[in-house]
Amino acid sequence: MAEKIVEEKKKPEGKKAADKKPEFQLYNSMSKQKEVFRPKEEGKVGMYVCGVTAYDYSHIGHARAYVAFDVLYRYLKYLGYEVVYVRNFTDVDDKIIKRANENGEDPISLSGRFCEEYLKDMDDLQCLPPTHQPRVSDHIDEIKRMISQIISNGCAYAVDGDVYFSIDKFPDYGRLSGQNLDGNRAGERVAVDSRKRNPADFALWKAAKPGEPSWDSPWGPGRPGWHIECSAMSAHYLTHTFDIHGGGMDLIFPHHENEIAQSCAACSESNVTYWLHNGFVTVDDEKMSKSLGNFFTIREVTKLYHPLALRHFLLGMHYRSPVNYSILQIEIASDAVYYIFQKKPQKKKQRQQQQEQQTTVLSLIELEREVKEVLDLLGLLPRLTYSEVLSQLKEKALTRAKLTEDDILHSIEERAQARKNKDYTLSDQIRSDLAVKGIALMDLGKETVWRPCVPVQQANVVDPAQ
């Protein structure tokens, strides 16, 4: 996505040209190829992206997905499209209930708390707020109506308060993922349930159990299954036909496959034009997981690195490719962000130059405007001044180095004295010791200043707390 933004950042000129949007392509997971983007309604785009299951702090895998789709959202708006962007919250789920019971907390209260924490993380990463951010618990009526429609159309059945989607009633099942019914064998993904007509049938509604939130329904008290929520909420906000549905590659099967089946079963005209999926985050080339001890929340990373550094890192790879997280890579991204804002054109200073330099000054001003435009499209244009961002980046570097500003100033004075005494061995050692900690000393004439840098001989350690 980022590559297309850089290539096509100039808007068309003139009224007639402005009515025609620049052409760009999206890779469609359904067709397995790039396709020219053609919205269903001229000038308007409907986009739904599957959100988080809110039972804990969001991790950098979540950040990967929502930064990628934030860039697409920004680009569509930049091209002049009127975009309705929907990103949901799953606030009713097995994992939420389990965590709430462990904490002795109401499940809806727990998920509501982590929804707010997620929004803080998204704001830190400069992801624009979507048009709508619906929660499952607020859309139970829409979910029940869709389930009733699926049953009426003969594609679902109720058993003892549970409602299951009948896979056999949807011949096209598997067209997104390439999975077939034989490959979805019982017991491999969910527990075997002898009440199902087909072991691959999945739950639309789950009968109430002790200690779980529940709502009344035609099939008895219970709660929604996971997959039905996105079908119901996307249809509610975008209708049954819309342009873009996105999420991580891990959602292709079974979540998005099941969404397609139940949405089409509820409405035969249901259709999503483009299915988009972002790649995984790996850690030292291994899939990120809590069991391997290489699982990091956004909050853990941004405690030591500026959120813009994390965003820059996540944008460094094509959105469909896996991105490998390591301390070295996040250090490089942090250094790049510092460089971006340190090297900005100095308009005020340049305007004080001689008359013959005015053309150069105007060129620099235009360059800054274009750079800002691209940074804004990538979500890297800070809300603060450049100097304030540089100050924040330096504060994070001090935290990682476990040093204070006074510590560094003392080292600079000690090094200056060593150079005065012609003790260049000590002078070089002081500079090298700081470089290992990610602090670079820069000699500018008679003055020595410091800035963050990629730690010299930085071990490829992945724990952000180290």
Side-chain angles (χ1 to χ4, degrees):
M1 293 176 187
E3 300 95 326
K4 298 301 294 182
I5 288 174
V6 175
E7 290 172 5
E8 301 171 355
K9 64 183 180 63
K10 290 191 176 180
K11 293 184 179 181
E13 297 179 357
K15 187 177 187 306
K16 185 175 182 180
D19 294 334
K20 185 177 181 181
K21 305 290 190 295
E23 188 175 281
F24 71 99
Q25 295 181 324
L26 294 174
Y27 182 88
N28 192 343
S29 299
M30 181 65 77
S31 65
K32 309 297 187 295
Q33 62 184 10
K34 291 181 180 180
E35 299 177 7
V36 174
F37 179 69
R38 307 274 188 224
K40 291 181 179 294
E41 185 177 352
E42 187 174 349
K44 297 184 178 182
V45 177
M47 180 168 74
Y48 186 95
V49 175
C50 291
V52 295
T53 299
Y55 70 99
D56 205 342
Y57 291 103
S58 298
H59 52 72
I60 57 177
H62 293 137
R64 175 74 191 294
Y66 304 122
V67 165
F69 287 104
D70 178 66
V71 172
L72 178 58
Y73 181 38
R74 288 170 179 269
Y75 186 52
L76 290 167
K77 286 164 66 72
Y78 169 78
L79 294 180
Y81 286 104
E82 180 183 329
V83 186
V84 178
Y85 176 20
V86 184
R87 187 183 67 206
N88 75 298
F89 283 109
T90 297
D91 65 345
V92 180
D93 179 81
D94 293 342
K95 293 178 180 178
I96 296 171
I97 294 168
K98 182 176 183 294
R99 179 65 59 84
N101 289 340
E102 291 170 351
N103 293 354
E105 188 175 357
D106 174 70
I108 302 298
S109 175
L110 178 139
S111 60
R113 179 158 53 85
F114 283 114
C115 285
E116 294 306 313
E117 296 296 343
Y118 166 85
L119 291 175
K120 291 177 185 176
D121 286 335
M122 292 299 102
D123 186 60
D124 280 347
L125 291 172
Q126 299 198 168
C127 290
L128 298 176
T131 316
H132 303 287
Q133 300 188 79
R135 304 187 185 192
V136 175
S137 60
D138 294 329
H139 293 78
I140 300 298
D141 288 342
E142 290 85 353
I143 290 170
K144 289 190 292 187
R145 281 197 292 270
M146 179 168 276
I147 294 173
S148 295
Q149 188 62 50
I150 295 171
I151 292 174
S152 296
N153 291 341
C155 295
Y157 56 95
V159 181
D160 302 327
D162 292 317
V163 179
Y164 293 102
F165 185 89
S166 180
I167 290 291
D168 294 330
K169 299 293 185 178
F170 190 68
D172 285 341
Y173 189 83
R175 62 192 173 115
L176 174 67
S177 63
Q179 295 273 355
N180 56 49
L181 294 180
D182 293 335
N184 192 19
R185 294 183 293 272
E188 292 191 356
R189 297 185 181 274
V190 294
V192 176
D193 188 339
S194 60
R195 300 175 305 158
K196 293 182 181 181
R197 297 174 182 174
N198 184 315
D201 291 351
F202 58 89
L204 300 177
W205 187 261
K206 297 182 177 182
K209 297 181 180 62
E212 294 185 357
S214 64
W215 291 263
D216 290 334
S217 81
W219 320 286
R223 59 185 174 89
W226 175 34
H227 313 296
I228 191 66
E229 65 186 60
C230 288
S231 288
M233 289 190 285
S234 62
H236 178 71
Y237 289 98
L238 300 172
T239 76
H240 286 279
T241 64
F242 56 95
D243 301 292
I244 299 169
H245 196 315
M249 286 186 177
D250 56 324
L251 297 181
I252 293 177
F253 186 86
H255 186 53
H256 287 167
E257 197 69 76
N258 291 352
E259 270 194 66
I260 293 170
Q262 62 202 9
S263 293
C264 291
C267 175
S268 60
E269 296 180 356
S270 177
N271 179 258
V272 173
T273 311
Y274 306 92
W275 288 87
L276 273 59
H277 296 92
N278 63 275
F280 296 118
V281 172
T282 60
V283 179
D284 276 357
D285 298 315
E286 289 187 289
K287 185 178 179 181
M288 186 178 68
S289 70
K290 288 184 177 179
S291 61
L292 292 175
N294 63 357
F295 178 92
F296 304 118
T297 65
I298 297 169
R299 204 69 58 89
E300 286 175 320
V301 177
T302 56
K303 181 179 179 181
L304 295 178
Y305 297 91
H306 198 285
L308 287 178
L310 177 56
R311 185 177 179 108
H312 187 282
F313 161 73
L314 293 170
L315 290 173
M317 293 291 291
H318 189 281
Y319 78 98
R320 288 194 297 113
S321 300
V323 57
N324 188 45
Y325 178 85
S326 69
I327 289 297
L328 178 58
Q329 293 303 315
I330 194 71
E331 287 280 4
I332 291 171
S334 182
D335 193 57
V337 170
Y338 192 93
Y339 182 83
I340 288 170
F341 299 119
Q342 185 184 49
K343 293 297 182 181
K344 70 182 188 305
Q346 300 288 336
K347 291 190 291 187
K348 184 175 180 181
K349 181 178 179 181
Q350 292 290 352
R351 283 175 175 167
Q352 296 170 350
Q353 302 299 316
Q354 299 295 326
Q355 183 66 35
E356 61 267 19
Q357 295 178 322
Q358 286 303 306
T359 302
T360 302
V361 174
L362 293 174
S363 296
L364 287 172
I365 293 171
E366 176 61 18
L367 175 61
E368 182 182 30
R369 186 194 66 77
E370 292 194 3
V371 168
K372 281 185 173 180
E373 195 173 66
V374 173
L375 289 177
D376 187 40
L377 286 169
L378 296 175
L380 292 172
L381 187 66
R383 298 164 184 150
L384 304 175
T385 64
Y386 289 177
S387 60
E388 287 173 323
V389 174
L390 291 173
S391 178
Q392 291 177 341
L393 286 161
K394 293 178 79 170
E395 287 175 9
K396 296 286 187 182
L398 289 173
T399 300
R400 297 194 297 274
K402 298 180 181 179
L403 295 171
T404 65
E405 182 90 23
D406 287 341
D407 291 332
I408 296 180
L409 294 177
H410 176 74
S411 294
I412 289 174
E413 291 174 3
E414 187 179 6
R415 178 171 174 267
Q417 187 61 48
R419 296 177 74 187
K420 185 177 181 180
N421 297 336
K422 300 188 184 303
D423 188 349
Y424 299 115
T425 300
L426 176 59
S427 171
D428 291 344
Q429 187 62 52
I430 292 171
R431 190 173 192 172
S432 297
D433 289 345
L434 288 174
V436 168
K437 296 181 179 181
I439 305 296
L441 297 185
M442 317 285 288
D443 294 320
L444 303 176
K446 295 182 179 180
E447 182 185 12
T448 299
V449 298
W450 73 274
R451 58 153 289 176
C453 69
V454 177
V456 175
Q457 298 180 339
Q458 170 70 51
N460 198 24
V461 180
V462 295
D463 186 352
Q466 293 184 358

